Amino acid sequence: MKRNRVVLHICDQDFPIATDNTIAYVKELGEGIDTKMREILGASKRVTFAQAAVLAALEYADNAQKAEKSIELLRSQISDYLADAEDSKLNFELVRKENEKLKAEIEKLKAKAGKKDE
């Protein structure tokens, strides 16, 4: 697969990147990082470029970790829902079979009662 090459402009510095992702996607990521770093740098004159980069990376890592935990929770909930649905399906089948059995028994009793009346 051909690797895409893109140059990201982050806080007036260029970062050449080779990636398997689309150029548009990588540029979007770069724009997000640029925005976040400019926000951090604008908040304090004492923050260096490297410090801003680390703080931005920490925020993105925190968001990614929280998203991963949320995904794991959703997967667990879906798994529980699927198990509940399977249990409900089995219970429904048991009730359906019992219902058919009772219907047949009622028909037998009706037929038996009808013979007694004659």
Side-chain angles (χ1 to χ4, degrees):
M1 181 172 167
K2 182 183 170 208
R3 293 181 61 91
N4 293 315
R5 299 194 185 281
V6 61
V7 177
L8 300 180
H9 305 285
I10 300 173
C11 295
D12 302 323
Q13 293 190 31
D14 292 339
F15 296 88
I17 306 288
T19 179
D20 292 332
N21 294 308
T22 65
I23 291 172
Y25 175 73
V26 175
K27 281 188 174 190
E28 182 180 338
L29 291 176
E31 289 168 3
I33 292 169
D34 180 65
T35 300
K36 178 50 65 181
M37 285 185 61
R38 286 181 187 278
E39 177 185 309
I40 293 167
L41 288 166
S44 173
K45 298 287 184 198
R46 296 186 322 198
V47 174
T48 67
F49 180 86
Q51 290 170 329
V54 169
L55 291 171
L58 283 171
E59 183 173 329
Y60 279 101
D62 179 49
N63 289 339
Q65 192 169 56
K66 287 176 181 173
E68 187 63 36
K69 287 181 182 179
S70 181
I71 288 168
E72 288 174 22
L73 178 62
L74 289 171
R75 283 184 180 141
S76 175
Q77 289 174 338
I78 288 170
S79 179
D80 291 346
Y81 294 150
L82 289 173
D84 289 347
E86 186 63 29
D87 287 346
S88 294
K89 184 178 177 183
L90 290 173
N91 287 336
F92 172 79
E93 191 59 32
L94 290 173
V95 168
R96 188 190 66 74
K97 286 179 181 179
E98 181 68 19
N99 189 28
E100 291 298 320
K101 182 178 162 185
L102 291 172
K103 282 181 181 179
E105 192 174 319
I106 288 170
E107 290 303 317
K108 284 181 187 177
L109 290 171
K110 282 181 180 180
K112 190 175 180 181
K115 287 181 183 178
K116 285 184 180 179
D117 289 340
E118 292 175 3

